[in-house]
Amino acid sequence: MKITEKLLQAHKDENAPASFSFEFFTPKTSQGVQNLYDRMDRMYQLNPLFIDITWNAGGRLSNLTSEMVNTTSTVLGLETCMHLTCTNMPLNLIDDALQNAYNSGCQNILALRGDPPLDGSESTGDFKFAKDLINHIKNKFGNHFCIGVAGYPEGHPEEPNNLKTLEFLKIKQDEGADFIVTQLFYDVENFINWCKKCRDFGINIPIIPGIMPISNYNSFIRRAKWNNVSIPNHFIDRLDPIKDDDLKVRDEGCLLMTELCQTLLNSKFVNHLHFYTMNLEKSSTMLLDSLNLLSNKQKNDYECENSKPWRKSLNPLRESENVRPIFWKNRKFSYIQRTNNWDEFPNGRWGDSRSPAFGNVDMFEHNIIRHSSTKILSLWNRPTNSTELGNLLIDYLNNKIHCLPWSDTQVTDEINSIKSDLIDLNSNGIITINSQPRINGIKSTDKIFGWGPSNGYVYQKQYLEFLLPKLKLNSLLDQINLIINEDGYDSLNYFITDSSSNNLLNTNIIDSSDVNAVTWGCFPGREIAQPTIVEKVSFLAWKDELYLILKKWSNVLLNSSNDLEHEPENDNRLKDLKSSKFIDSLISDYVLVNIVDNDYVNPTDRIFTLIKKLY
Amino acid sequence: MKITEKLLQAHKDENAPASFSFEFFTPKTSQGVQNLYDRMDRMYQLNPLFIDITWNAGGRLSNLTSEMVNTTSTVLGLETCMHLTCTNMPLNLIDDALQNAYNSGCQNILALRGDPPLDGSESTGDFKFAKDLINHIKNKFGNHFCIGVAGYPEGHPEEPNNLKTLEFLKIKQDEGADFIVTQLFYDVENFINWCKKCRDFGINIPIIPGIMPISNYNSFIRRAKWNNVSIPNHFIDRLDPIKDDDLKVRDEGCLLMTELCQTLLNSKFVNHLHFYTMNLEKSSTMLLDSLNLLSNKQKNDYECENSKPWRKSLNPLRESENVRPIFWKNRKFSYIQRTNNWDEFPNGRWGDSRSPAFGNVDMFEHNIIRHSSTKILSLWNRPTNSTELGNLLIDYLNNKIHCLPWSDTQVTDEINSIKSDLIDLNSNGIITINSQPRINGIKSTDKIFGWGPSNGYVYQKQYLEFLLPKLKLNSLLDQINLIINEDGYDSLNYFITDSSSNNLLNTNIIDSSDVNAVTWGCFPGREIAQPTIVEKVSFLAWKDELYLILKKWSNVLLNSSNDLEHEPENDNRLKDLKSSKFIDSLISDYVLVNIVDNDYVNPTDRIFTLIKKLY
């Protein structure tokens, strides 16, 4: 959606709280990119109106911006604004970038001239000024893109005449710019005066102030100088005495910026704040919290953001995607990668056309765990038996670690009602992989479980997926049969498989094409939405992925055990080897089980009760 | 489904109650056919395993049997067995009949020789004996049809040698017959002996006794003579003394037949009773009741019969039909007629392919009210104002009359919770057309509301459709807006139209393609079923139909007022005219409204409360 439309929606009600957005730059390493995605994923929870990705001008990674815009829109479901500079950019690269943004469902471009070549030479690009780029975008894409431009409240570094700078801005508006994002600044009175001048000059598109949080003294001073912006005295007065204590600087800086933002929001010019995050999380969230904008995190009126229990992709090719198997609940990157080639989602419903289409797991094997070997070792250490692995999982369930080899996402409040049961299982040699609690008709606006339009009700069947030692398989079947005999054949549905079978080892599903809706919602004036399912064909595809994840993990440990450069005082090679063998045993000596409790109305907690009998 | 399969399913459990079936013959007039359909429709509720339609040999209505088989399978959803006789039947007519049965989803044929020509001449048909017909069916349709044959426990009238008769029966089994239905009989000991002989003779297919209830003395005697069956003395002893009192004969006859049936069921040969209903309802149901087989009416294990809240069609072309608009809830004949040409139901879901496909209403205009003019006048008399029409509707709601011009079906217990409100509306000049109460998660096995597989839960949103005087339209909108402002824009959804508009007069639906699921069910291991909807396009199609019904009704009254043959002592001509004008005023001076209350969880009864404010 266009940023200008989102601004209108967010501020339909005059008393609505300020909206905000985050700017990120393209990292230098691929691990940095993965880490940034995780950070963006967390910051999505803060409910930014949009995010910006800066333009990666030239260089080896020249298409990284396009790639990131695609991921943030398609996988992370973040409304994205792509920066695009024309300095040194040939027309074909500009067109490629625009087309990629278009294809990714991105509808917002920040059109920039970009810094001139450092050696003082002329730009070699096809366009000289931002206005030419705007003109080109309009000619080529009509009104598809909402176009932002840069504003310079303290004047342009290369243009001493401030009136001229204002004229340039007006020209950009006349060429079709839809909004202005300003350079960072600390002089708030000057900013407000500049806004007045803009309005007097006929510049009436929204002005979004660029906010640079203060994280330490040196970078604060350096950035102000680099951007040629003045620092009001009270900033220096309050920061200089504590400049060597980073923590104190951050706290005081937060206060200073809070005052600045509050003054902006009290003026009639500003209802939205754009944060230059510098790819950091803390100082922006501190500032938001201090401005009381986090407590206002609430369900959007506009449905697109939250219309599904999973993160809806903004990629137009996935527009009609209305259902996902539960197995990839915490693996959205791999799910989207695997299903990227689906040329259509069958009108929002599952059917024969969908089922066998899970892309080959090999195609993304290099990325099966989204971390480098070093990070894998540091994140999850070296579990050598089920107790140690259980403890790792318990740390994850307690939010002490934020991801697992098979889970990109940290644990949310959703699992609170079953957390102690999950911990109990992991303390007793049963490795939980995925789960959801039962929900019987909670309001769709519920903070934890709600999704979809308001005034609806949402439902979930209890789901549990876990690895169980093969030796306990028969006991499990006995326990399941006890329940099935007592409560009815279809009270529970289960699938059991292992790494060596191409099919199921065991199930009580008679018709293997049956689809079990495990999350659904009933809304005013709508058909029932049933966005999360359990079905055999996708479980088998997921099984292959899970075993490949474990194999990769074991290989990382094995390679580490062979690494002769281990420092002697920290030689984990023996432990690496033992851990690698243990992870291998998860592949060879365990079965993968999932169970759905079909009764979401009468709370009996059959699943956990039956598994606990296996200890 | 094949009768033999249904028998196996129904008696999987040895202690299951006896199953039963009804035989109907083809009536002589088209009004008789309509009346019989209504009767069959009611008798469906008794849960017969199947019904038989006798063969209409030759004559003007030679394809009436095929037509009725199609209606009972497709519209009424009754498992049907078609009789087919070969006497005087040329091959092409036999093949037509078989093909029609096949196309209707009928899988059961009772293959009969048929009575020889009354004048003693030879049959002119291509087959002489039932065995030839069986052979032909097997050659042509393989195992598609389950084939029944006639059995003669007291010997064949034309074959004095009973052993020969048994040999013929054995040959029919060898040719491929799957079950035997016997002639009527009263000598139960002879019957049981005959069963033993059959078994000893190697005849091992199911034997279904034909049961002829006793409704009056003369017909009882006549039928016994006609069929050459003996009457045990105790029948005469108990019936002869009361033979002039029909009611007493029926009661005593019921007792006698109960004893007979009980003896049959106690024998090891019989677990199913086939009733020769003679197109009457009372004596068969009395007998069933006396046998305690009605109290056993319960949800079938086999899902096909009850898998939807509406009557599922057995026509294979409608196999994937999974959704119907609520408007035709009580008009299944016209709904199926209108949608007969749909060549596919979009995989059980609604989508673009379905919507505009409601056949032209003109195409069945002659049948828009399923009764003759005489019957229309006698059923609904001559309401001349909204009070009189209101009283008619109240009689309908109280089950004193069993159909309305716009409703083929009598009122069921489903409406109990809203019945007094509906009566209140009709007492106050608001004409209710269609409704359903709110249901929040009742067990799918519930006697009144249940449908679909067991261990599920079913839901309904409250729905009301009514005619409102145009003068009250603005007050209605005011009341609706009061609620919408207080409870939320989408707390209610409504459509308002009239006879003169091609579109809606008013609605709060923004996206006219929205589909509101108003009945749905959540079942173990399944996706959510949502078989009943409200949507604009079908409401507009329904509106045309309703106004055509009213026009037809008014015309019947007008024609009656012009009928000079009214008997003087019963001259309703003035009243006819007045009533015709009043019905016309429903078309010109009323609006048609439907309202869905989207909150099925919190009981507020918004719809009735708001309408009562319009009195």
Side-chain angles (χ1 to χ4, degrees):
Chain A
M1 194 188 278
K2 293 180 172 180
I3 286 172
T4 44
E5 285 171 33
K6 296 197 79 160
L7 284 170
L8 282 177
Q9 279 192 333
H11 300 286
K12 239 183 340 197
D13 175 1
E14 266 186 34
N15 299 317
S19 52
F20 53 88
S21 46
F22 298 127
E23 182 162 320
F24 302 97
F25 61 82
T26 47
K28 297 221 166 10
T29 66
S30 70
Q31 181 67 52
V33 172
Q34 300 295 346
N35 291 350
L36 181 56
Y37 286 151
D38 290 339
R39 177 157 284 167
M40 289 167 160
D41 197 23
R42 283 193 300 276
M43 292 176 84
Y44 175 100
Q45 307 298 334
L46 307 175
N47 206 21
L49 205 65
F50 62 93
I51 63 154
D52 275 29
I53 311 272
T54 65
W55 183 242
N56 189 275
R60 284 180 305 125
L61 300 168
S62 68
N63 58 359
L64 179 58
T65 299
S66 291
E67 194 182 306
M68 287 188 70
V69 166
N70 183 48
T71 300
T72 55
S73 299
T74 302
V75 181
L76 298 176
L78 283 158
E79 197 67 61
T80 303
C81 176
M82 180 179 83
H83 290 205
L84 182 57
T85 63
C86 50
T87 300
N88 283 337
M89 282 286 289
L91 186 56
N92 66 321
L93 286 191
I94 286 180
D95 281 348
D96 282 355
L98 289 169
Q99 191 59 47
N100 285 336
Y102 182 94
N103 294 345
S104 300
C106 168
Q107 288 186 52
N108 302 286
I109 304 287
L110 194 75
L112 302 166
R113 188 196 67 174
D115 296 324
L118 288 175
D119 59 7
S121 64
E122 279 280 303
S123 160
T124 61
D126 283 289
F127 302 120
K128 200 166 178 193
F129 301 112
K131 70 178 171 67
D132 305 324
L133 180 56
I134 296 169
N135 190 277
H136 177 69
I137 297 172
K138 285 281 172 192
N139 282 338
K140 190 135 182 149
F141 288 90
N143 283 320
H144 174 79
F145 287 111
C146 179
I147 301 174
V149 291
Y152 298 88
E154 309 205 3
H156 194 281
E158 298 168 39
E159 176 53 67
N161 183 343
N162 282 350
L163 193 64
K164 266 260 157 72
T165 310
L166 224 48
E167 272 171 21
F168 290 145
L169 189 56
K170 176 72 164 57
I171 289 170
K172 290 196 273 190
Q173 171 182 292
D174 294 344
E175 286 292 334
D178 298 295
F179 65 95
I180 298 161
V181 180
T182 76
Q183 290 293 88
L184 68 93
F185 60 95
Y186 298 105
D187 185 342
V188 65
E189 277 170 46
N190 175 69
F191 178 89
I192 291 174
N193 278 327
W194 177 78
C195 289
K196 280 183 200 149
K197 281 185 204 150
C198 285
R199 295 303 184 233
D200 292 345
F201 208 82
I203 297 168
N204 44 31
I205 53 179
I207 298 173
I208 297 177
I211 306 297
M212 178 70 80
I214 298 170
S215 52
N216 79 61
Y217 192 74
N218 287 338
S219 64
F220 161 66
I221 298 292
R222 198 176 58 238
R223 278 179 197 139
K225 282 195 176 152
W226 179 267
N227 288 282
N228 257 332
V229 299
S230 66
I231 302 180
N233 289 337
H234 68 286
F235 275 76
I236 303 294
D237 293 347
R238 285 160 61 180
L239 292 174
D240 190 67
I242 51 171
K243 64 181 174 188
D244 295 325
D245 187 331
D246 282 355
L247 278 184
K248 280 188 182 161
V249 168
R250 201 166 66 178
D251 287 347
E252 191 62 30
C254 181
L255 276 181
L256 283 160
M257 292 307 290
T258 303
E259 291 160 17
L260 179 147
C261 291
Q262 211 58 68
T263 313
L264 288 175
L265 294 173
N266 291 340
S267 83
K268 61 180 185 291
F269 299 108
V270 168
N271 57 19
H272 181 98
L273 304 169
H274 184 68
F275 289 86
Y276 295 118
T277 67
M278 306 315 289
N279 290 6
L280 301 173
E281 202 169 341
K282 186 72 186 170
S283 34
S284 296
T285 45
M286 270 177 70
L287 186 45
L288 281 169
D289 192 29
S290 164
L291 285 162
N292 251 330
L293 293 178
L294 290 189
S295 55
N296 283 313
K297 185 202 154 195
Q298 54 199 2
K299 209 174 135 44
N300 294 312
D301 241 9
Y302 30 101
E303 202 201 311
C304 57
E305 313 265 319
N306 199 10
S307 65
K308 293 285 169 298
W310 28 265
R311 192 86 59 83
K312 189 157 168 64
S313 172
L314 300 181
N315 190 312
L317 290 178
R318 303 184 81 95
E319 180 56 37
S320 61
E321 179 186 21
N322 269 340
V323 60
R324 290 188 186 173
I326 198 170
F327 316 114
W328 284 271
K329 185 177 163 191
N330 298 316
R331 298 265 304 169
K332 48 181 170 294
F333 287 93
S334 86
Y335 184 71
I336 289 191
Q337 207 161 354
R338 296 187 78 148
T339 60
N340 234 356
N341 294 326
W342 293 7
D343 50 359
E344 74 173 272
F345 290 80
N347 199 21
R349 298 179 178 100
W350 48 94
D352 299 337
S353 57
R354 184 186 54 81
S355 280
F358 291 99
N360 199 324
V361 85
D362 302 337
M363 105 191 166
F364 62 100
E365 199 176 336
H366 66 283
N367 207 12
I368 193 92
I369 300 181
R370 296 178 48 257
H371 298 289
S372 66
S373 298
T374 322
K375 189 132 184 240
I376 287 174
L377 291 170
S378 80
L379 275 172
W380 304 308
N381 211 333
R382 294 149 173 89
T384 59
N385 54 45
S386 63
T387 308
E388 288 176 18
L389 179 58
N391 288 335
L392 184 73
L393 292 175
I394 292 167
D395 280 352
Y396 173 72
L397 292 167
N398 285 325
N399 241 314
K400 288 181 190 160
I401 57 173
H402 298 310
C403 58
L404 288 173
W406 53 84
S407 181
D408 302 332
T409 320
Q410 72 190 82
V411 154
T412 67
D413 287 348
E414 194 203 79
I415 64 143
N416 281 351
S417 65
I418 53 173
K419 193 198 267 188
S420 63
D421 289 315
L422 293 170
I423 289 175
D424 201 276
L425 262 49
N426 285 299
S427 310
N428 285 280
I430 290 163
I431 314 299
T432 63
I433 301 289
N434 197 355
S435 62
Q436 73 172 16
R438 144 195 9 240
I439 296 301
N440 179 20
I442 282 183
K443 278 262 181 193
S444 61
T445 44
D446 183 79
K447 294 262 181 202
I448 295 174
F449 295 102
W451 54 274
S454 49
N455 292 323
Y457 298 93
V458 299
Y459 297 79
Q460 286 181 186
K461 291 178 179 173
Q462 189 170 325
Y463 174 80
L464 184 68
E465 184 184 330
F466 55 95
L467 289 166
L468 180 81
K470 268 191 186 161
L471 290 173
K472 295 192 173 178
L473 175 56
N474 284 331
S475 316
L476 174 70
L477 290 171
D478 289 346
Q479 290 302 329
I480 288 178
N481 285 327
L482 275 179
I483 290 183
I484 283 178
N485 289 334
E486 192 160 319
D487 297 351
Y489 192 73
D490 50 10
S491 50
L492 300 177
N493 282 140
Y494 66 95
F495 291 131
I496 304 176
T497 186
D498 68 6
S499 62
S500 60
S501 351
N502 285 321
N503 212 309
L504 299 177
L505 287 183
N506 214 311
T507 178
N508 67 335
I509 301 283
I510 295 164
D511 182 346
S512 71
S513 65
D514 274 350
V515 166
N516 196 348
V518 293
T519 300
W520 66 100
C522 310
F523 304 102
R526 307 286 181 100
E527 48 184 311
I528 313 301
Q530 26 194 338
T532 309
I533 59 165
V534 168
E535 55 164 6
K536 179 186 160 187
V537 61
S538 33
F539 178 60
L540 289 177
W542 160 246
K543 171 203 80 150
D544 290 341
E545 186 168 326
L546 179 67
Y547 285 116
L548 217 60
I549 292 167
L550 294 173
K551 193 67 215 160
K552 163 84 183 203
W553 192 11
S554 142
N555 282 343
V556 166
L557 290 159
L558 186 66
N559 291 339
S560 172
S561 79
N562 290 330
D563 183 356
L564 296 180
E565 291 180 25
H566 263 299
E567 297 183 23
E569 70 271 30
N570 185 22
D571 195 341
N572 281 311
R573 278 184 288 176
L574 271 181
K575 204 167 179 218
D576 283 341
L577 188 62
K578 205 172 159 201
S579 180
S580 171
K581 286 193 170 158
F582 167 65
I583 302 298
D584 277 340
S585 80
L586 292 178
I587 303 174
S588 55
D589 303 339
Y590 283 67
V591 288
L592 179 63
V593 184
N594 78 51
I595 307 185
V596 177
D597 187 341
N598 282 310
D599 196 345
Y600 57 96
V601 172
N602 297 310
T604 48
D605 221 351
R606 290 186 282 226
I607 296 181
F608 287 111
T609 311
L610 93 87
I611 298 176
K612 287 177 186 174
K613 292 194 177 136
L614 305 176
Y615 294 168
Chain B
M1 195 187 277
K2 293 182 174 179
I3 286 173
T4 44
E5 286 171 32
K6 296 196 80 160
L7 283 171
L8 281 177
Q9 280 192 332
H11 301 286
K12 238 182 341 197
D13 174 1
E14 266 187 33
N15 299 317
S19 52
F20 54 88
S21 47
F22 297 127
E23 182 162 321
F24 300 98
F25 62 82
T26 47
K28 297 221 165 10
T29 66
S30 70
Q31 181 66 54
V33 172
Q34 301 296 344
N35 291 350
L36 180 57
Y37 286 151
D38 290 340
R39 177 157 285 166
M40 288 167 158
D41 197 23
R42 284 194 298 277
M43 292 175 84
Y44 175 101
Q45 307 298 336
L46 306 176
N47 205 21
L49 204 66
F50 62 94
I51 63 155
D52 274 31
I53 311 271
T54 64
W55 183 244
N56 189 276
R60 286 177 304 124
L61 300 168
S62 67
N63 58 0
L64 180 58
T65 299
S66 289
E67 194 182 306
M68 286 188 71
V69 166
N70 182 49
T71 301
T72 54
S73 299
T74 303
V75 181
L76 298 177
L78 283 157
E79 197 67 59
T80 303
C81 176
M82 180 178 83
H83 290 205
L84 182 57
T85 63
C86 51
T87 300
N88 282 336
M89 282 285 290
L91 186 56
N92 66 319
L93 287 192
I94 286 179
D95 281 348
D96 282 355
L98 288 169
Q99 190 59 48
N100 285 337
Y102 182 94
N103 294 344
S104 300
C106 168
Q107 288 187 52
N108 302 286
I109 304 288
L110 193 75
L112 301 166
R113 187 195 69 173
D115 296 324
L118 288 175
D119 59 7
S121 66
E122 277 282 304
S123 159
T124 60
D126 282 288
F127 301 120
K128 201 165 174 191
F129 300 112
K131 71 179 171 63
D132 305 325
L133 179 56
I134 297 170
N135 189 279
H136 177 69
I137 297 172
K138 285 282 171 190
N139 281 338
K140 190 134 184 151
F141 288 89
N143 283 321
H144 174 78
F145 287 111
C146 178
I147 302 174
V149 291
Y152 298 88
E154 310 205 2
H156 195 282
E158 297 168 38
E159 175 53 66
N161 183 342
N162 281 349
L163 191 67
K164 265 258 154 74
T165 310
L166 223 50
E167 272 170 20
F168 290 144
L169 189 55
K170 175 70 162 57
I171 289 170
K172 290 195 274 189
Q173 171 182 293
D174 294 344
E175 285 292 333
D178 299 293
F179 64 96
I180 298 161
V181 181
T182 76
Q183 291 293 89
L184 66 94
F185 61 94
Y186 298 106
D187 186 342
V188 65
E189 278 170 46
N190 175 69
F191 179 89
I192 291 173
N193 279 327
W194 176 78
C195 289
K196 279 181 201 152
K197 280 184 204 152
C198 285
R199 295 304 184 234
D200 292 345
F201 209 82
I203 297 167
N204 44 31
I205 53 180
I207 298 173
I208 297 177
I211 306 296
M212 177 72 80
I214 298 171
S215 52
N216 78 60
Y217 191 75
N218 287 338
S219 64
F220 159 65
I221 297 293
R222 199 176 58 238
R223 279 179 195 136
K225 282 193 177 153
W226 178 268
N227 287 281
N228 258 330
V229 300
S230 64
I231 302 178
N233 288 337
H234 69 286
F235 275 75
I236 304 294
D237 294 346
R238 285 159 63 179
L239 294 174
D240 189 67
I242 51 171
K243 65 181 173 188
D244 295 326
D245 187 333
D246 282 356
L247 278 184
K248 281 188 180 160
V249 168
R250 202 167 67 179
D251 287 348
E252 191 62 30
C254 181
L255 276 181
L256 283 160
M257 291 308 289
T258 303
E259 291 161 19
L260 180 146
C261 292
Q262 211 59 68
T263 312
L264 288 176
L265 294 173
N266 291 340
S267 84
K268 61 178 184 293
F269 300 108
V270 170
N271 57 18
H272 181 98
L273 304 169
H274 184 68
F275 290 85
Y276 295 116
T277 67
M278 306 315 288
N279 291 6
L280 301 173
E281 202 169 340
K282 185 71 188 171
S283 33
S284 296
T285 44
M286 270 176 71
L287 187 46
L288 281 169
D289 192 29
S290 165
L291 284 163
N292 253 329
L293 293 178
L294 290 189
S295 55
N296 283 312
K297 185 203 156 193
Q298 54 200 1
K299 209 172 136 45
N300 294 313
D301 240 9
Y302 31 100
E303 204 201 309
C304 57
E305 313 264 320
N306 201 9
S307 65
K308 294 286 170 297
W310 29 264
R311 192 87 59 82
K312 188 155 170 64
S313 172
L314 300 182
N315 192 310
L317 290 177
R318 303 184 80 97
E319 182 55 39
S320 61
E321 179 186 20
N322 270 341
V323 60
R324 290 187 185 174
I326 198 170
F327 316 114
W328 284 270
K329 184 178 165 192
N330 297 316
R331 297 266 304 169
K332 50 180 168 296
F333 287 93
S334 85
Y335 184 71
I336 289 191
Q337 207 162 356
R338 297 187 77 149
T339 61
N340 233 355
N341 294 325
W342 292 8
D343 50 359
E344 75 171 273
F345 290 80
N347 199 19
R349 298 179 177 102
W350 48 94
D352 299 337
S353 57
R354 185 186 52 83
S355 281
F358 291 99
N360 199 322
V361 85
D362 302 337
M363 108 192 163
F364 62 100
E365 198 176 335
H366 65 283
N367 207 12
I368 193 93
I369 301 182
R370 296 177 49 257
H371 297 290
S372 66
S373 299
T374 322
K375 187 131 185 239
I376 287 174
L377 292 169
S378 79
L379 274 172
W380 304 308
N381 210 333
R382 294 148 174 90
T384 60
N385 54 47
S386 64
T387 309
E388 289 176 15
L389 179 57
N391 287 335
L392 184 72
L393 292 175
I394 292 167
D395 280 352
Y396 173 72
L397 291 167
N398 285 325
N399 241 315
K400 288 180 189 160
I401 57 173
H402 299 310
C403 59
L404 289 172
W406 52 85
S407 182
D408 302 332
T409 319
Q410 72 189 81
V411 154
T412 66
D413 286 348
E414 193 202 79
I415 64 144
N416 282 350
S417 65
I418 53 174
K419 193 198 267 190
S420 63
D421 289 315
L422 292 170
I423 289 175
D424 200 277
L425 262 50
N426 286 298
S427 310
N428 285 280
I430 289 163
I431 314 300
T432 63
I433 301 290
N434 197 353
S435 61
Q436 73 173 17
R438 143 192 12 238
I439 297 301
N440 179 20
I442 283 184
K443 278 263 181 191
S444 61
T445 43
D446 183 80
K447 294 262 180 202
I448 296 175
F449 295 101
W451 55 273
S454 50
N455 291 323
Y457 298 93
V458 299
Y459 298 80
Q460 289 182 186
K461 292 179 179 173
Q462 190 170 324
Y463 174 79
L464 184 68
E465 184 184 330
F466 55 96
L467 289 166
L468 180 81
K470 267 191 184 159
L471 290 173
K472 297 193 170 175
L473 175 57
N474 283 330
S475 316
L476 174 70
L477 289 171
D478 289 347
Q479 291 301 330
I480 288 179
N481 285 327
L482 275 178
I483 290 184
I484 282 177
N485 289 333
E486 193 160 318
D487 297 350
Y489 192 73
D490 50 9
S491 51
L492 300 177
N493 282 141
Y494 66 95
F495 291 131
I496 304 177
T497 185
D498 67 7
S499 61
S500 59
S501 350
N502 285 322
N503 212 309
L504 299 177
L505 287 183
N506 214 309
T507 178
N508 67 335
I509 301 283
I510 295 165
D511 182 345
S512 71
S513 66
D514 275 350
V515 167
N516 196 347
V518 293
T519 300
W520 64 101
C522 311
F523 303 102
R526 308 287 180 102
E527 48 183 311
I528 314 300
Q530 26 194 340
T532 310
I533 59 165
V534 168
E535 56 164 6
K536 180 184 160 188
V537 60
S538 33
F539 179 61
L540 290 177
W542 160 245
K543 171 202 80 148
D544 290 341
E545 185 167 327
L546 179 67
Y547 286 116
L548 217 60
I549 292 167
L550 294 173
K551 193 66 215 161
K552 162 82 180 205
W553 192 11
S554 143
N555 282 342
V556 167
L557 290 159
L558 186 66
N559 291 337
S560 173
S561 79
N562 290 327
D563 184 356
L564 297 178
E565 291 180 24
H566 263 297
E567 298 185 20
E569 71 270 28
N570 184 22
D571 196 340
N572 281 310
R573 277 183 287 176
L574 271 181
K575 207 170 175 214
D576 283 341
L577 188 62
K578 206 173 158 196
S579 180
S580 170
K581 285 192 170 157
F582 166 65
I583 302 298
D584 276 341
S585 80
L586 292 178
I587 303 175
S588 54
D589 303 339
Y590 282 67
V591 288
L592 178 63
V593 184
N594 78 51
I595 307 184
V596 177
D597 187 339
N598 282 310
D599 196 344
Y600 57 96
V601 172
N602 297 310
T604 49
D605 221 351
R606 291 185 281 225
I607 296 181
F608 287 111
T609 311
L610 91 87
I611 298 175
K612 286 176 185 174
K613 293 192 177 137
L614 305 175
Y615 292 168

